[in-house]
Coordinates of all heavy atoms in Angstrom, one line a residue:
M8 N 84.7 84.4 126.7 CA 86.0 83.9 127.1 C 86.0 82.4 127.0 O 85.1 81.7 127.5 CB 86.4 84.3 128.5 CG 87.8 83.9 128.9 SD 88.1 84.1 130.6 CE 87.2 82.7 131.2
T9 N 87.0 81.8 126.3 CA 87.0 80.4 126.1 C 88.3 79.8 126.6 O 89.4 80.2 126.2 CB 86.8 80.0 124.6 OG1 85.7 80.7 124.1 CG2 86.7 78.5 124.5
H10 N 88.2 78.9 127.6 CA 89.4 78.2 128.1 C 89.8 77.1 127.1 O 88.9 76.3 126.8 CB 89.1 77.7 129.5 CG 90.3 77.3 130.2 ND1 90.5 76.1 130.8 CD2 91.5 77.9 130.4 CE1 91.7 76.0 131.4 NE2 92.3 77.1 131.2
V11 N 91.0 77.1 126.6 CA 91.4 76.1 125.6 C 92.6 75.4 126.1 O 93.3 75.8 127.1 CB 91.7 76.8 124.3 CG1 90.4 77.4 123.7 CG2 92.8 77.8 124.4
A12 N 93.0 74.3 125.4 CA 94.2 73.6 125.7 C 95.4 74.6 125.5 O 95.4 75.4 124.7 CB 94.4 72.4 124.8
P13 N 96.5 74.4 126.3 CA 97.6 75.3 126.2 C 98.2 75.3 124.8 O 98.3 74.3 124.1 CB 98.6 74.7 127.2 CG 97.8 73.9 128.2 CD 96.6 73.4 127.4
Y14 N 98.6 76.5 124.4 CA 99.3 76.7 123.1 C 100.4 77.7 123.2 O 100.3 78.6 124.1 CB 98.3 77.0 122.0 CG 97.6 78.3 122.2 CD1 98.0 79.5 121.5 CD2 96.4 78.4 122.9 CE1 97.4 80.7 121.7 CE2 95.7 79.6 123.1 CZ 96.2 80.7 122.4 OH 95.5 81.9 122.6
H15 N 101.4 77.7 122.4 CA 102.4 78.6 122.4 C 103.0 78.9 121.0 O 102.6 78.2 120.1 CB 103.6 78.1 123.3 CG 104.3 76.9 122.8 ND1 103.7 75.6 122.9 CD2 105.4 76.8 122.1 CE1 104.6 74.8 122.4 NE2 105.6 75.4 121.9
C16 N 103.9 79.9 120.9 CA 104.5 80.2 119.7 C 105.9 79.6 119.6 O 106.7 79.7 120.6 CB 104.6 81.7 119.5 SG 105.4 82.2 118.0
D17 N 106.2 78.9 118.5 CA 107.5 78.3 118.4 C 108.6 79.1 117.6 O 109.6 78.7 117.3 CB 107.4 76.9 117.7 CG 107.1 77.0 116.2 OD1 106.8 78.1 115.7 OD2 107.3 76.0 115.6
A18 N 108.2 80.4 117.4 CA 109.2 81.3 116.7 C 110.1 81.9 117.7 O 109.9 83.0 118.2 CB 108.4 82.4 115.9
S19 N 111.2 81.2 117.9 CA 112.2 81.7 119.0 C 112.9 82.9 118.6 O 113.5 83.6 119.4 CB 113.2 80.6 119.3 OG 113.9 80.2 118.1
D20 N 112.9 83.3 117.3 CA 113.6 84.5 116.9 C 112.7 85.8 117.0 O 113.2 86.9 116.7 CB 114.2 84.3 115.5 CG 113.1 84.0 114.5 OD1 112.0 83.6 114.9 OD2 113.3 84.2 113.3
D21 N 111.5 85.6 117.4 CA 110.6 86.7 117.5 C 110.7 87.4 118.8 O 110.6 86.7 119.9 CB 109.2 86.2 117.3 CG 108.2 87.4 117.0 OD1 108.3 88.4 117.8 OD2 107.4 87.3 116.1
P22 N 111.0 88.7 118.9 CA 111.3 89.3 120.2 C 110.0 89.6 121.0 O 110.1 90.0 122.2 CB 112.0 90.6 119.8 CG 111.4 90.9 118.4 CD 111.2 89.6 117.8
H23 N 108.9 89.4 120.5 CA 107.7 89.8 121.2 C 107.4 88.9 122.4 O 107.7 87.7 122.4 CB 106.4 89.7 120.3 CG 106.5 90.7 119.2 ND1 106.5 92.1 119.4 CD2 106.6 90.6 117.8 CE1 106.6 92.7 118.2 NE2 106.6 91.8 117.2
A24 N 107.0 89.6 123.5 CA 106.8 88.9 124.8 C 105.8 87.7 124.7 O 106.0 86.8 125.4 CB 106.4 89.9 125.8
H25 N 104.9 87.8 123.8 CA 103.9 86.8 123.8 C 104.4 85.5 123.3 O 103.8 84.4 123.4 CB 102.7 87.2 122.9 CG 103.0 87.4 121.5 ND1 103.3 88.7 121.0 CD2 103.0 86.6 120.4 CE1 103.6 88.6 119.7 NE2 103.3 87.4 119.3
N26 N 105.7 85.5 122.8 CA 106.3 84.3 122.3 C 107.1 83.6 123.4 O 107.6 82.5 123.2 CB 107.2 84.5 121.1 CG 106.4 84.9 119.9 OD1 105.2 84.6 119.8 ND2 107.0 85.7 119.0
H27 N 107.2 84.2 124.5 CA 108.0 83.6 125.6 C 107.1 83.0 126.7 O 107.6 82.7 127.8 CB 108.9 84.7 126.2 CG 109.9 85.3 125.2 ND1 110.8 84.5 124.5 CD2 110.0 86.5 124.8 CE1 111.4 85.3 123.7 NE2 111.0 86.5 123.8
V28 N 105.8 82.9 126.4 CA 104.9 82.4 127.4 C 103.9 81.4 126.6 O 103.9 81.4 125.4 CB 104.1 83.5 128.1 CG1 104.9 84.4 128.9 CG2 103.3 84.3 127.0
Y29 N 103.2 80.7 127.4 CA 102.1 79.9 126.8 C 100.8 80.5 127.1 O 100.6 81.2 128.1 CB 102.2 78.4 127.1 CG 101.7 78.0 128.5 CD1 100.3 77.8 128.7 CD2 102.5 77.9 129.6 CE1 99.8 77.4 129.9 CE2 102.0 77.6 130.8 CZ 100.7 77.3 131.0 OH 100.2 77.0 132.2
H30 N 99.8 80.2 126.3 CA 98.5 80.8 126.5 C 97.5 79.6 126.6 O 97.7 78.5 126.1 CB 98.0 81.6 125.3 CG 99.1 82.7 124.9 ND1 99.1 83.9 125.5 CD2 100.1 82.6 124.0 CE1 100.2 84.6 125.0 NE2 100.8 83.8 124.1
D31 N 96.3 79.9 127.3 CA 95.3 78.9 127.4 C 93.9 79.6 127.4 O 92.9 79.0 127.9 CB 95.4 78.0 128.7 CG 95.5 78.8 130.0 OD1 95.3 80.1 129.9 OD2 95.7 78.2 131.0
H32 N 93.8 80.7 126.7 CA 92.5 81.4 126.5 C 92.5 81.8 125.0 O 93.4 82.4 124.5 CB 92.4 82.6 127.4 CG 91.9 82.2 128.8 ND1 90.6 81.9 129.1 CD2 92.6 82.0 129.9 CE1 90.6 81.6 130.4 NE2 91.8 81.6 130.9
D33 N 91.3 81.5 124.4 CA 91.1 81.9 123.0 C 91.0 83.5 122.9 O 91.4 84.0 121.8 CB 89.8 81.3 122.5 CG 90.1 80.3 121.4 OD1 91.3 80.0 121.2 OD2 89.2 79.7 120.9
E34 N 90.6 84.1 123.9 CA 90.4 85.6 123.8 C 91.6 86.4 124.1 O 91.6 87.6 124.0 CB 89.3 86.0 124.9 CG 88.0 85.3 124.7 CD 87.3 85.5 123.4 OE1 87.2 86.7 123.0 OE2 87.0 84.5 122.8
C35 N 92.7 85.7 124.4 CA 94.0 86.5 124.7 C 94.5 87.3 123.5 O 94.7 86.7 122.4 CB 95.0 85.5 125.2 SG 96.6 86.3 125.5
Q36 N 94.7 88.6 123.8 CA 95.1 89.5 122.7 C 96.5 89.0 122.2 O 96.8 89.1 121.0 CB 95.1 90.9 123.1 CG 93.8 91.5 123.5 CD 92.8 91.4 122.3 OE1 93.2 91.9 121.2 NE2 91.6 90.9 122.5
D37 N 97.4 88.7 123.1 CA 98.7 88.3 122.7 C 98.7 86.9 122.0 O 99.4 86.7 121.0 CB 99.6 88.2 124.0 CG 100.0 89.5 124.5 OD1 99.9 90.5 123.7 OD2 100.5 89.6 125.6
G38 N 97.9 86.0 122.5 CA 97.8 84.7 121.8 C 97.2 84.9 120.4 O 97.7 84.1 119.5
K39 N 96.4 85.8 120.2 CA 95.8 86.0 118.8 C 96.9 86.5 117.8 O 96.7 86.4 116.6 CB 94.7 87.1 118.9 CG 93.4 86.5 119.4 CD 92.3 87.6 119.5 CE 91.0 87.0 120.0 NZ 90.0 88.1 120.1
R40 N 98.0 87.1 118.4 CA 99.0 87.6 117.5 C 99.9 86.5 117.0 O 100.7 86.7 116.1 CB 99.9 88.6 118.2 CG 99.2 89.9 118.4 CD 100.1 91.0 118.9 NE 99.5 91.9 119.8 CZ 99.9 92.2 121.1 NH1 101.0 91.8 121.5 NH2 99.2 93.1 121.8
I41 N 99.8 85.3 117.6 CA 100.7 84.2 117.1 C 100.2 83.8 115.7 O 99.0 83.6 115.5 CB 100.6 83.0 118.0 CG1 101.1 83.4 119.4 CG2 101.4 81.8 117.5 CD1 101.0 82.3 120.4
K42 N 101.1 83.8 114.8 CA 100.8 83.3 113.4 C 100.4 81.8 113.4 O 101.0 81.1 114.1 CB 102.0 83.6 112.5 CG 102.3 85.0 112.3 CD 103.5 85.2 111.4 CE 103.8 86.7 111.3 NZ 105.2 86.9 110.6
P43 N 99.4 81.5 112.6 CA 99.0 80.1 112.6 C 100.1 79.1 112.4 O 100.1 78.0 113.0 CB 98.0 80.0 111.4 CG 97.5 81.4 111.3 CD 98.6 82.3 111.7
E44 N 101.1 79.4 111.6 CA 102.2 78.4 111.3 C 103.1 78.3 112.5 O 103.9 77.4 112.5 CB 102.9 78.8 110.1 CG 103.7 80.2 110.2 CD 102.9 81.3 109.7 OE1 101.6 81.3 109.8 OE2 103.5 82.3 109.1
H45 N 103.0 79.2 113.5 CA 103.9 79.2 114.6 C 103.1 78.7 115.9 O 103.7 78.6 117.0 CB 104.5 80.5 114.9 CG 105.6 80.8 113.9 ND1 106.7 79.9 113.7 CD2 105.8 81.9 113.1 CE1 107.5 80.5 112.8 NE2 107.0 81.6 112.4
R46 N 101.8 78.5 115.8 CA 101.0 78.2 116.9 C 101.1 76.6 117.1 O 100.7 75.9 116.3 CB 99.6 78.6 116.7 CG 98.7 78.2 117.9 CD 97.3 78.8 117.8 NE 96.3 78.1 118.6 CZ 95.3 78.7 119.2 NH1 95.0 80.0 118.9 NH2 94.4 78.0 119.9
K47 N 101.7 76.3 118.3 CA 101.8 74.8 118.6 C 101.1 74.5 119.9 O 100.9 75.3 120.8 CB 103.3 74.6 118.8 CG 104.2 74.9 117.7 CD 104.0 74.0 116.5 CE 104.8 74.4 115.3 NZ 104.5 73.7 114.1
A48 N 100.7 73.2 120.0 CA 100.0 72.8 121.2 C 101.0 72.5 122.3 O 102.1 72.2 122.1 CB 99.2 71.5 120.9
G49 N 100.5 72.7 123.5 CA 101.3 72.5 124.7 C 101.9 73.8 125.3 O 101.8 74.9 124.7
T50 N 102.6 73.6 126.4 CA 103.1 74.8 127.1 C 104.5 75.2 126.5 O 105.0 76.3 126.7 CB 103.3 74.6 128.6 OG1 104.3 73.6 128.8 CG2 102.0 74.1 129.2
G51 N 105.2 74.3 125.9 CA 106.5 74.6 125.4 C 107.5 74.8 126.5 O 108.6 75.4 126.2
G52 N 107.2 74.4 127.7 CA 108.1 74.7 128.9 C 108.2 76.1 129.2 O 109.1 76.5 130.0
K53 N 107.2 76.9 128.8 CA 107.2 78.4 129.1 C 106.3 78.7 130.2 O 105.4 77.9 130.5 CB 106.8 79.1 127.8 CG 107.7 78.9 126.6 CD 106.9 79.4 125.3 CE 107.6 78.9 124.1 NZ 108.5 79.9 123.5
P54 N 106.5 79.8 130.9 CA 105.6 80.3 131.9 C 104.3 80.7 131.3 O 104.2 80.9 130.1 CB 106.3 81.5 132.5 CG 107.2 82.0 131.5 CD 107.6 80.8 130.7
R55 N 103.3 80.8 132.2 CA 101.9 81.1 131.7 C 101.8 82.6 131.4 O 102.3 83.5 132.1 CB 100.9 80.7 132.8 CG 99.5 80.8 132.2 CD 98.5 80.3 133.3 NE 97.2 80.3 132.9 CZ 96.1 80.3 133.7 NH1 96.3 80.2 135.0 NH2 94.9 80.3 133.2
C56 N 101.1 82.9 130.4 CA 100.8 84.3 129.9 C 100.1 85.1 131.0 O 99.1 84.6 131.5 CB 100.0 84.2 128.6 SG 99.3 85.8 128.1
K57 N 100.5 86.3 131.3 CA 99.9 87.1 132.3 C 98.5 87.6 131.8 O 97.6 87.7 132.6 CB 100.7 88.4 132.6 CG 102.0 88.0 133.4 CD 102.7 89.3 133.9 CE 103.8 89.0 134.8 NZ 104.9 88.3 134.2
V58 N 98.3 87.8 130.6 CA 97.0 88.2 130.0 C 96.0 87.1 130.2 O 94.9 87.3 130.6 CB 97.1 88.5 128.5 CG1 95.7 88.9 128.0 CG2 98.1 89.7 128.3
C59 N 96.4 85.8 130.0 CA 95.6 84.7 130.2 C 95.2 84.6 131.7 O 94.1 84.3 132.0 CB 96.2 83.4 129.7 SG 96.3 83.3 127.9
M60 N 96.2 84.8 132.6 CA 95.9 84.8 134.0 C 94.8 85.8 134.4 O 93.9 85.5 135.1 CB 97.2 85.1 134.8 CG 98.1 83.9 135.0 SD 99.4 84.3 136.1 CE 100.8 83.6 135.4
N61 N 95.0 87.0 133.8 CA 94.0 88.1 134.1 C 92.6 87.8 133.6 O 91.6 88.1 134.2 CB 94.5 89.4 133.5 CG 95.7 90.0 134.3 OD1 95.9 89.6 135.5 ND2 96.5 90.8 133.6
L62 N 92.6 87.1 132.4 CA 91.3 86.8 131.8 C 90.6 85.8 132.8 O 89.4 85.9 133.0 CB 91.5 86.1 130.5 CG 91.8 87.0 129.3 CD1 92.2 86.3 128.1 CD2 90.6 87.9 129.0
E63 N 91.3 84.9 133.4 CA 90.7 83.9 134.2 C 90.3 84.5 135.6 O 89.2 84.3 136.1 CB 91.7 82.8 134.5 CG 91.1 81.6 135.2 CD 91.8 80.3 134.8 OE1 91.7 79.9 133.6 OE2 92.4 79.7 135.7
S64 N 91.1 85.4 136.1 CA 90.8 86.0 137.4 C 89.7 87.1 137.3 O 89.1 87.4 138.3 CB 92.1 86.6 138.0 OG 92.5 87.7 137.2
S65 N 89.4 87.5 136.1 CA 88.4 88.6 135.9 C 87.0 87.9 135.8 O 86.0 88.7 135.8 CB 88.7 89.4 134.7 OG 88.5 88.6 133.5
M66 N 86.9 86.6 135.8 CA 85.6 86.0 135.7 C 84.9 86.2 137.0 O 85.4 85.9 138.1 CB 85.8 84.5 135.5 CG 86.1 84.1 134.0 SD 84.7 84.5 133.0 CE 83.7 83.1 133.3
Ligands
ZN22 ZN1 97.7 84.7 126.7

């Protein structure tokens, strides 16, 4: 598990839930689904991804 700087998806027309949150773990399954061209640095003003939260609390 790798903690990384926050990143998010900027594809606002994509209905997938992983685009409405920001991620901060490299191992996040949802974060991995973000296409490279849509992966942006920062939180994007979005709430934190639940998967990323679980990754951190499982340590
Ligand atoms: Zn995540």
